[in-house]
């Protein structure tokens, strides 16, 4: 696959997923994970995901990849505890 000019989708994974007819949610989740791992160092995943979700939701709201992007965005925006799961001192 040729490298994409889109800095939000450097390998063109999500762009290609939207072109596949009959793609399933598990396949979309796998593509999403590959996309997340393909981002260049220093890219803010939350901001990148927000931009990508806005672009593709406007194009195809019913596509399974849109649902996976929404799940990823919800996870990225969820508040996290300071110090991880063990915030209390033992």
């Amino acid at each position: 696959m040729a490298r994409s000019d889109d800095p939000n989708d450097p390998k063109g994974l999500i762009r290609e997923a939207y072109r596949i007819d009959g793609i399933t949610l598990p396949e979309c989740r796998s593509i999403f994970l590959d996309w997340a791992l393909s981002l260049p160092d220093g890219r803010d995943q939350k901001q990148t995901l927000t931009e990508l979700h806005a672009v593709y939701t406007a194009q195809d709201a019913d596509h399974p990849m849109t649902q996976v992007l929404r799940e990823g965005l919800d996870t990225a925006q969820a508040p996290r505890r300071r110090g991880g799961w063990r915030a209390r001192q033992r």
Side-chain angles (χ1 to χ4, degrees):
M1 179 181 304
R3 212 158 167 79
S4 173
D5 293 334
D6 184 353
N8 290 332
D9 190 12
K11 290 185 177 178
L13 293 166
I14 291 177
R15 184 191 66 224
E16 290 299 319
Y18 274 91
R19 294 183 180 162
I20 299 171
D21 289 329
I23 192 168
T24 65
L25 272 170
E27 291 169 322
C28 289
R29 287 191 176 101
S30 175
I31 289 167
F32 179 79
L33 181 59
D34 290 345
W35 166 80
L37 295 172
S38 74
L39 285 175
D41 290 340
R43 289 289 296 173
D44 179 6
Q45 282 191 340
K46 190 186 301 184
Q47 179 63 32
T48 301
L49 191 52
T50 302
E51 294 168 8
L52 211 55
H53 182 260
V55 169
Y56 287 111
T57 300
Q59 291 177 10
D60 196 351
D62 294 335
H63 196 284
M65 195 71 211
T66 304
Q67 181 180 343
V68 171
L69 285 172
R70 177 80 247 158
E71 290 170 6
L73 188 56
D74 289 345
T75 301
Q77 291 176 339
R80 293 207 169 95
R81 297 171 114 191
R82 287 180 53 206
W85 290 106
R86 293 187 179 171
R88 290 187 297 156
Q89 293 290 333
R90 290 184 164 211

